[in-house]
Amino acid sequence: MSIVETHKNYQPRLVAFYFIFGALLAILAGGLTYRQLIQNRIFNTREKLQIQRRILVPGPRGNIYDREGRLLVGNRARFSVVLYLAELRNEFWTEYKRVVHNYDALDPSIRPKNSDLVSIAHVSVAQRYLDKVNQILHRSDRVDPVALERHFQRQLLLPYVLIDDLAPDEYARLLEQIPVTSPLQVYSSSTRFYPHGSLAAHTLGYVGVDPDIDAEDLPGADLTTFKMKGTVGRDGLEKEFDSRLQGEPGGTIFRVDPAGYRINPPLEQKLPVQGKDLVTSLDIDLQEAAERELGDQTGAAVALDVRTGEVLALASKPDYNLSDFSPHLSQATAADIEQRGAWLNRAIAAYHPPGSTFKILTTIAALRSGAITPDAIIADCEGSMMIGGRLFSCENGRGHHGELLLPQAIAVSCDIYFWTAALRTGADTIAAEAHRFHLDQRSGIELPHEPDRATVPSPGWKERTQGVRWFPGDTANMGIGQGYVLENPINMACFAASVARNETVTVPKLLHDPNAPTQHSESIGLTPSQRAALLEGMEGCTTPPGTARILTTLDELRVPGVNIAGKTGTAQVPGNKNVAWFICFAPLENPRIAVAVMIEGEVAGEEFGGGRHAVPVASAILKEYFKKHPNTPQSQFAMR
């Protein structure tokens, strides 16, 4: 029997090993694939976030011009002395070792902690460079250790500002004496420039610091980003049209070393773009005339283009110098503005009883309701009138106007005539007419902060707001623009422009459109004879014996060759300062400009009339306007 060794081709245990080995290879291949294709992207992203930084720079704001293209707000170069810290790494390290050596040589036990030693080195190096600047400019500035260390921790890639907003002569001297290769350089940025100082301050507005600029078109939103401070509109047109004026930020992406210093050249760069310009409807000549005549008085003046509603002048006093806001407003200046009450834009935010200027509205309501007619005598003014058991005295002209027709009553502003007209017409009818003229609403001017305080009272309004009933004396007071009636200058200017066009609504516009169409709204609804009587009375107001007669009798106030329709007003507020008003439009035959002036009295209860105090401001505006527009075509509005 032979013993023969046999071998089988099929080995089950070996096959199982092959499967195990194959699975291990598959796992290895999958791991390598995951590492190379998937995790590699994650690692690249992490590396990018660690070694790349983004710097954003704001774009300059757009300019603001008047209707004739004259600059009202622009940008000026702002120069600062800055230190590029990335170029001082070796000096910081050398200084750090020197500081450590000095402490060790003196007494190792008193040596500060390492972070303090680093800060001392930073300040020491920065001060050496600032001393060079001090020597050139004959200054004695010192480095702020806290600010410098904060900059190292938060804004290392940005240049550190040693001296901000250099004077022109300082800028020139530094340019001559600082080498172009020095880490010390003059840095240029832009800040708002106001060539006319306080002119139209409340209308133009001002800007504040915007630390949160963003560049949507620049990649790297996920990178650590450093932002140069931008600006944002805080008031006036600067705020209302901030999105249009705002420049488009630019930016740069840099690689940085392990210490956080940037490595040139940049990986990517986008230049900032200036914002869009704004052309306003303002006429700087009329604006200057209004503010010059207002002077130190407290008040406001508004001038409108009758046809388009464009605002030609919008002045408010007291005001402030816009140049004080650039590059930033000091606490002392802000406190002074607050103390003088100069923050308030009185043209849109000062609400007072409109006084006898409201008699034009009462006239329209009375004529349309049939309560009065132009050729009827409805009262005999003997100086006083009993209304609801109370004696009312006619203050205008000290009363005793006698029997008057409507035009004469408007011209001399007889209170007794208009008390009678108001009582005949009724408070609700007068209120409804005021609503037609939108005197119960905001004007809608393109400015922030116009309060919703216009008040057109009525019996129902008084019951709702005060819980008491309406008296005949309330109707009488309402008829002459006293009592509860409250209006601001912009609303009264719009009212004057609407009356000039023989329509009911004017919307003020602060942006200039050279092709702006004439505004149109509902007709007032007077007959030709009624409108003729109204205009006759308003023209009579500006000629003897009218309450605004100084407009034509004083040479310094006369507007040669121009007939003016106007109405004065004196709001007498018991216990408070009286308010002088004047509204007008001209020329009477072809109205082109409407004006409203409001001036607050200085002493409570003093004699303070619209004819004496407000008329000269309107005269200054009208004289400037007709000096620039000496010829006007035939009327298309006045007698329509």
Side-chain angles (χ1 to χ4, degrees), residues 51 139 193 249 277 331 346 430 459 488 511 544 565 575 603 627 632:
I51 68 171
R139 299 171 65 127
F193 169 58
D277 294 338
Q331 289 186 347
R346 286 172 169 79
I430 296 173
N488 59 2
L511 296 190
V603 180
K627 183 173 73 174
T632 55

Side-chain angles (χ1 to χ4, degrees), residues 308-328:
T308 65
E310 288 192 350
V311 180
L312 304 175
L314 194 145
S316 175
K317 292 285 185 172
D319 57 10
Y320 41 78
N321 191 333
L322 290 170
S323 297
D324 291 337
F325 289 76
S326 182
H328 49 76

